[in-house]
Amino acid sequence: MQTSAFSAVRGDLLSCYTTSIAQYMQQVAIDYQFAIGTQLFLAVRSATDTYPYLSIVHQHTPLIGEQLTHTLALSLCHTTDWQSFMQSLEGQCEVYHAVIVIGDTYALPWLTSYQKKHAPHWFMITHRDQQTRCFYVNDCFEFTDETGTQHPFVGWIQDQQLEQCLRMTVVPTFLQQQRSQWALGTHIDTATIRNQEYQWFESTASRPNQIDGESLFFTLLVKTWRQHMGQEHCSHLPAAEWHCGLQGLQFMAEHLSGSRDDPRIYEMRDDIWVMARNRQLFAHVVDKMGKALKNEHLKEYAMWYEQFLIPSWQTLPRIMHYNMQCLQRKRTISSLLSSTLQQVLEQETEAMRRLQSILELTRFWRVEAEKEILESDRPCPSSDAIA
């Protein structure tokens, strides 16, 4: 199923980071639903100097580098020189008809957080009009929360306004920095970026890998099962530092439950919200493939996600928001956080059991295991190697 590379990007099932990456992949004919949507995963890391915050990775396979699904080389660039920044944007638009830029939510007029809060926001620019001196913005990200509904935005932005949108005037928080650094599934070095700098991603290579869609899909599901069950470990996430898969979920559940009286942990509710969205995208892709392959087991599996696992995940950010308000008002917090985290852990374990049953019914489980395709000698690339 290679047609999904040309279907509309589901910005309602992605974070702002992965929405921009998915749009970029689509622009260069990479199937983002395979590359991103088949990755059901979680890795967490805690450090004493940043307690109680966690670093979180949502992909077991980096979205950049040479992968089973595609090859994509993106390098984070930054400068204070507006003219050189403009030249790079024009060059990327001319060659790839797409470039990912990083703006400040406070300065982006199409966002619900406009003039309310500062945070990095990734979005895509596709074209440059020399006559009108405008860039064409395409931002598919959408969601609804207590501040309102964020709709997708497409439109022309004049140079002067774009300059204001893309100049970061506030140093990102630790959590915001961590989200940006791990948004591609592998570490992006942001240590040299200073305040007031323009930031964007330059591409040097991109192509989809021509692999049969059905075989690739089941191969990716096997990869996800092994990673989530701890049978494989990502070389770019050292085991001494990172808790991965179900083990990572167990660690996070214990960490959040044990720190529930600390108001700082509730700043991570956006990360939990992203985890819920990742499961929604996964179920969407599984259901789509189930229909394409006329596989009732896949369709039932996706329906189980929609009925049980996803609602549990979606409950967590709401509980965290409620507890945060309770702490601010010096009220007793809800005990539902611990019980819901335990419920999610049990359901994730059941999800892997069900996935194993589906894979055992297909020839792909045996073929991939025999060939050991998923135990390739090719290491997961670092961002330094890619740049």
Side-chain angles (χ1 to χ4, degrees), residues 1-177:
M1 183 186 68
Q2 297 300 337
T3 57
S4 59
F6 305 101
S7 60
V9 170
R10 290 294 301 271
D12 60 327
L13 302 179
L14 297 157
S15 69
C16 84
Y17 303 104
T18 49
T19 295
S20 63
I21 293 295
Q23 287 186 265
Y24 193 95
M25 287 180 168
Q26 178 191 34
Q27 195 69 26
V28 294
I30 294 171
D31 191 334
Y32 81 92
Q33 293 186 76
F34 275 3
I36 302 175
T38 58
Q39 296 205 48
L40 190 74
F41 184 68
L42 171 67
V44 297
R45 178 181 65 181
S46 178
T48 55
D49 58 336
T50 56
Y51 184 88
Y53 300 127
L54 297 174
S55 299
I56 298 172
V57 178
H58 300 282
Q59 297 90 23
H60 52 69
T61 302
L63 303 181
I64 52 178
E66 186 179 353
Q67 311 300 347
L68 280 173
T69 52
H70 65 279
T71 296
L72 182 61
L74 290 175
S75 178
L76 179 61
C77 303
H78 52 96
T79 183
T80 56
D81 186 347
W82 172 252
Q83 292 303 320
S84 62
F85 174 55
M86 288 267 288
Q87 290 174 3
S88 180
L89 292 191
E90 291 175 0
Q92 292 289 301
C93 286
E94 183 176 349
V95 176
Y96 298 101
H97 304 292
V99 57
I100 297 172
V101 296
I102 303 176
D104 185 348
T105 58
Y106 190 89
L108 300 176
W110 63 89
L111 298 184
T112 57
S113 52
Y114 176 57
Q115 295 188 340
K116 294 178 183 177
K117 69 174 183 179
H118 294 276
H121 181 71
W122 295 19
F123 60 95
M124 195 169 72
I125 290 175
T126 60
H127 295 89
R128 164 69 169 165
D129 189 316
Q130 293 286 358
Q131 281 192 323
T132 61
R133 301 181 65 82
C134 291
F135 282 99
Y136 193 73
V137 171
N138 188 341
D139 186 358
C140 289
F141 182 52
E142 58 179 303
F143 65 91
T144 299
D145 65 5
E146 63 275 6
T147 65
T149 298
Q150 174 62 56
H151 297 287
F153 171 80
V154 291
W156 293 97
I157 298 291
Q158 292 186 336
D159 292 356
Q160 186 175 5
Q161 185 179 11
L162 185 66
E163 181 180 9
Q164 297 172 351
C165 291
L166 299 183
R167 186 181 292 277
M168 297 296 295
T169 58
V170 175
V171 177
T173 66
F174 171 79
L175 285 177
Q176 290 171 350
Q177 292 180 43

Side-chain angles (χ1 to χ4, degrees), residues 286-309:
V286 169
D287 181 63
K288 188 172 183 178
M289 284 300 297
K291 292 174 180 175
L293 301 175
K294 298 181 180 180
N295 186 316
E296 293 299 321
H297 298 293
L298 289 175
K299 291 192 287 184
E300 290 172 4
Y301 186 50
M303 186 180 299
W304 181 86
Y305 266 77
E306 294 288 350
Q307 292 179 342
F308 298 102
L309 183 57

Side-chain angles (χ1 to χ4, degrees), residues 310-359:
I310 292 172
S312 297
W313 273 104
Q314 291 174 329
T315 299
L316 284 171
R318 294 195 290 267
I319 295 173
M320 296 178 76
H321 180 67
Y322 174 80
N323 280 0
M324 180 178 63
Q325 291 183 320
C326 287
L327 289 175
Q328 291 172 347
R329 298 168 184 173
K330 301 187 185 305
R331 296 178 181 176
T332 303
I333 63 174
S334 171
S335 61
L336 285 174
L337 179 62
S338 298
S339 60
T340 306
L341 283 166
Q342 182 59 37
Q343 177 176 295
V344 165
L345 179 59
E346 292 171 358
Q347 290 176 335
E348 288 268 333
T349 303
E350 172 64 13
M352 291 301 101
R353 186 195 69 78
R354 288 171 178 260
L355 179 57
Q356 180 178 356
S357 296
I358 292 173
L359 293 172

Side-chain angles (χ1 to χ4, degrees), residues 239-297:
E241 301 177 18
W242 291 90
H243 305 272
C244 300
L246 291 176
Q247 181 191 42
L249 182 55
Q250 174 75 54
F251 180 88
M252 186 186 74
E254 294 174 354
H255 178 80
L256 295 179
S257 296
S259 307
R260 59 184 178 273
D261 291 325
D262 190 328
R264 291 174 295 176
I265 70 161
Y266 299 110
E267 297 173 29
M268 290 186 285
R269 70 187 180 103
D270 285 348
D271 302 284
I272 306 298
W273 178 81
V274 170
M275 295 173 199
R277 284 209 155 187
N278 290 344
R279 272 94 188 138
Q280 286 181 280
L281 179 61
F282 180 78
H284 170 74
V285 173
V286 169
D287 181 63
K288 188 172 183 178
M289 284 300 297
K291 292 174 180 175
L293 301 175
K294 298 181 180 180
N295 186 316
E296 293 299 321
H297 298 293

